[in-house]
Amino acid sequence: MAAPDPAPDVDVLVVGTGVTGIYQLYTAREAGFSVEAVEAGAGVGGTWYWNRYPGARFDSESYTYAYLFSKELFDDWTWQEHFAEQPETERYLNHVVDRFDLRRHIRFNAKVTSATWDEEARVWVVALSDGAVRRARFLVAATGVLSVPFFPAVPGREDFGGESFHTGRWPSTPVDLAGKRVAVIGTGSSGVQVIPVIADEVASLTVYQRSANWCTPLNNSPISDHEQAQLRADFEEIREILNTSIAGFLHEPHDRGAFDDSDEERQAFFETMWRSPGFSKLSSNYLDLLFNEAANQAWCDFIAAKVRATVDDPETAAKLIPSDHRFGEKRPPFVTGYYETYNKPNVSLVDLKATPILRVTETGIETADGEVELDVIIWATGFDFGTGALNRMGIRGRDGLALEDHWADGPTTFLGIQTTRFPNLFFPGGPHAAAGNNPRYNGDQVDFVTDALVHVRDHGFDTIEVELDAEERWTAMVDKGAETAPFGEASYFFGTNIPGKPRKYLLNSGGRPKLFKEIARVHDTDYRAFRLSRS
């Protein structure tokens, strides 16, 4: 007689301890499940553990990015800046883990190497890089959309004899750049943060830019004692606004279109927007900014004029003004002192469209214009967005189906949390999550996942798996929404930065309440989009 299958080691195994994974670990434990989280890194934080490069910081307001499930937690943490720098964010997430006694449930330095569905035992068998194997009833992959660094296929990259760093895998030990010849490859959200911060300490800084971005000022500032007191007093109102706003921000929407104002009024309003914080330039700008080509062009012309007025060299200024997309068609970076950096005598800009990189050599980078000798190369070249981490976990569902094969033509999901033929697997914060202030939408998904787990347990079911027709309808809705999404196909939201990756929209463009909470609410009572089964 065959021995019975061993019992699961844990009810809920969470992969990743970033903002989403920590909250999933907390809610599952509070719901009475046995829990464990496995983390590839040596500490918690996810994105805010790995991305510790100079200048890394929020571009969402700190208190809107933070957890809202506990007023006591909100009250006992004092954010120093409206847009916190990486070390403060990492300290905050460690504070949360320790305040709620979650650290004892986390296994560090344990990367998932495979996750296989055991059909007979109805558990996930998860192998880890430290040699351990965990058996879990439910597997929740909170691996994030910005967790797999991307390196372009540049010949000779491994031949460089100096130091190389990717912004998404910056060392936890200090990196000495003083007096060195440094290159930064990439001017996306990470590149434009690191460039102005290191410019004054390096001997020379050569910036290699593939495409310019519409960068606007972050306008960060310290949070005063008065502001801190007001935030705490307004907690319930803040939570209500953030939980119901379309993008998860506090910013007040404008009340008119661009051409409801006169030319003079419009220029004055654009000046106000230029001085406004972070994403308010999207969420509080003219209502038709992203949908009226003339309105968008007027804002782009305003930004371009600011660039020309800031950058001394007209040729450099021209290179910094995008010509391949409108404002908002790519995720716009928010900067501090970025354009001013190009006025420094030790800083130069290389347009890779005009002079592409031919190869990395042992001593530097060679383009059609010759070789620049370097001591350090910083690769600010982004991530395999959306599906990168999930497709590298070795996930095998029913009949041994590989997740990367199931998604060979792009991700298919229901609610952005589950995919058919992979029972008891959830991935909050993954593909088909929303564009906006990520923790707000991801938190909604975690709440739904935890409620679903409770439903399965309390009704005596063993498995939960989305029905194929529900997945097809949701994915079709996401694809249809992409046709009118403000982010164009030039955006990494379509995976266009990864050669060979299917050009599928990786986000839910409809925002939070309309296309998650309302649809999810329909299924709160009977879960009719899911197939629930007992052994």
Side-chain angles (χ1 to χ4, degrees):
M1 182 175 178
D5 293 307
D9 300 304
V10 68
D11 293 331
V12 180
L13 184 67
V14 179
V15 182
T17 57
V19 174
T20 304
I22 291 170
Y23 184 50
Q24 181 66 75
L25 184 66
Y26 169 78
T27 60
R29 188 195 65 181
E30 294 302 291
F33 292 99
S34 61
V35 296
E36 184 177 8
V38 292
E39 167 58 52
V44 301
T47 292
W48 302 107
Y49 173 83
W50 297 107
N51 289 261
R52 55 180 70 244
Y53 57 86
R57 67 171 63 246
F58 284 155
D59 54 14
S60 301
E61 284 83 356
S62 309
Y63 37 86
T64 70
Y65 196 97
Y67 296 113
L68 300 175
F69 66 86
S70 164
K71 186 178 188 308
E72 292 74 19
L73 172 62
F74 191 87
D75 285 346
D76 69 20
W77 184 263
T78 301
W79 291 103
Q80 300 302 305
E81 298 178 281
H82 285 279
F83 299 94
E85 201 168 10
Q86 181 274 335
E88 183 178 6
T89 303
E90 188 180 9
R91 288 195 302 272
Y92 168 74
L93 294 172
N94 275 280
H95 169 75
V96 173
V97 164
D98 292 330
R99 191 186 195 285
F100 294 100
D101 193 25
L102 297 174
R103 196 172 299 274
R104 63 192 176 95
H105 300 294
I106 302 173
R107 189 185 193 102
F108 293 106
N109 299 306
K111 182 179 180 179
V112 172
T113 57
S114 68
T116 304
W117 175 247
D118 183 330
E119 186 69 54
E120 186 174 355
R122 299 197 172 195
V123 297
W124 282 96
V125 181
V126 181
L128 305 174
S129 60
D130 64 0
V133 176
R134 309 300 284 159
R135 298 170 61 84
R137 285 193 65 198
F138 304 101
L139 179 62
V140 183
T143 49
V145 292
L146 297 171
S147 52
V148 177
F150 170 69
F151 288 93
V154 177
R157 182 171 66 85
E158 301 294 340
D159 298 333
F160 182 58
E163 295 181 289
S164 292
F165 306 99
H166 193 289
T167 51
R169 284 294 183 272
W170 200 265
S172 57
T173 53
V175 175
D176 181 15
L177 300 176
K180 294 183 179 179
R181 300 165 299 175
V182 178
V184 173
I185 302 176
T187 55
S189 295
S190 300
V192 300
Q193 286 187 330
V194 73
I195 286 165
V197 173
I198 67 173
D200 285 335
E201 67 174 301
V202 301
S204 65
L205 177 58
T206 307
V207 177
Y208 293 85
Q209 173 184 269
R210 182 186 63 173
S211 303
N213 280 293
W214 293 108
C215 300
T216 55
L218 180 64
N219 294 317
N220 189 28
S221 61
I223 299 176
S224 68
D225 291 343
H226 172 75
E227 288 173 317
Q228 193 68 247
Q230 194 64 53
L231 287 169
R232 288 169 175 155
D234 294 342
F235 172 76
E236 295 297 342
E237 181 182 357
I238 288 171
R239 180 161 60 179
E240 176 64 20
I241 293 171
L242 293 175
N243 282 341
T244 56
S245 85
I246 194 70
F249 291 107
L250 291 175
H251 311 143
E252 289 287 337
H254 201 31
D255 62 356
R256 70 193 69 183
F259 299 102
D260 293 332
D261 280 343
S262 67
D263 291 349
E264 183 177 301
E265 289 170 332
R266 191 164 50 254
Q267 286 299 111
F269 178 72
F270 283 158
E271 286 286 354
T272 299
M273 284 291 96
W274 184 258
R275 296 190 299 271
S276 69
F279 272 101
S280 59
K281 298 172 191 66
L282 272 172
S283 55
S284 298
N285 214 312
Y286 285 116
L287 295 173
D288 55 353
L289 179 77
L290 299 180
F291 307 103
N292 181 327
E293 189 169 342
N296 196 286
Q297 187 62 54
W299 175 235
C300 289
D301 290 344
F302 178 87
I303 299 172
K306 288 288 191 183
V307 176
R308 294 189 188 98
T310 303
V311 179
D312 295 339
D313 176 47
E315 186 176 334
T316 300
K319 292 177 183 177
L320 292 167
I321 297 171
S323 59
D324 61 348
H325 68 282
R326 304 182 307 164
F327 183 83
E329 285 187 332
K330 291 184 180 181
R331 188 187 189 279
F334 302 103
V335 297
T336 301
Y338 175 64
Y339 294 120
E340 293 85 348
T341 301
Y342 292 96
N343 295 330
K344 298 179 185 295
N346 65 328
V347 178
S348 58
L349 178 65
V350 177
D351 180 358
L352 292 179
K353 290 182 177 178
T355 54
I357 294 175
L358 301 179
R359 63 187 58 84
V360 176
T361 70
E362 185 178 355
T363 55
I365 293 176
E366 182 182 346
T367 70
D369 284 346
E371 182 179 354
V372 174
E373 293 189 347
L374 299 163
D375 301 306
V376 180
I377 299 176
I378 297 173
W379 297 84
T381 46
F383 301 87
D384 186 349
F385 181 82
T387 56
L390 291 167
N391 280 344
R392 288 169 171 81
M393 281 175 58
I395 297 175
R396 301 294 181 262
R398 293 193 188 276
D399 302 315
L401 176 64
L403 181 63
E404 62 268 28
D405 292 338
H406 183 54
W407 284 353
D409 296 324
T412 55
T413 81
F414 180 64
L415 299 179
I417 58 168
Q418 220 191 25
T419 188
T420 189
R421 300 187 68 185
F422 293 81
N424 293 10
L425 170 68
F426 301 88
F427 38 85
H432 294 174
N437 191 7
N438 282 352
R440 304 283 65 84
Y441 189 90
N442 296 358
D444 293 344
Q445 291 186 308
V446 167
D447 290 339
F448 184 86
V449 169
T450 302
D451 288 345
L453 299 184
V454 170
H455 180 85
V456 170
R457 179 191 64 194
D458 291 356
H459 290 79
F461 295 112
D462 294 314
T463 63
I464 177 170
E465 179 183 356
V466 64
E467 296 281 9
L468 179 60
D469 68 319
E471 176 178 285
E472 289 176 341
R473 284 185 285 109
W474 179 266
T475 302
M477 182 271 301
V478 171
D479 291 343
K480 182 69 174 176
E483 297 174 8
T484 56
F487 296 107
E489 288 199 26
S491 169
Y492 63 70
F493 293 155
F494 281 87
T496 51
N497 64 320
I498 307 297
K501 189 166 184 172
R503 296 301 185 254
K504 297 282 284 185
Y505 198 53
L506 299 170
L507 291 175
N508 157 16
S509 61
R512 298 178 64 235
K514 289 184 179 178
L515 292 179
F516 185 83
K517 280 190 169 181
E518 290 305 310
I519 293 175
R521 180 180 54 81
V522 172
H523 304 287
D524 274 347
T525 54
D526 58 9
Y527 292 89
R528 65 186 183 211
F530 296 92
R531 182 163 60 254
L532 297 156
S533 64
R534 299 181 178 91
S535 55

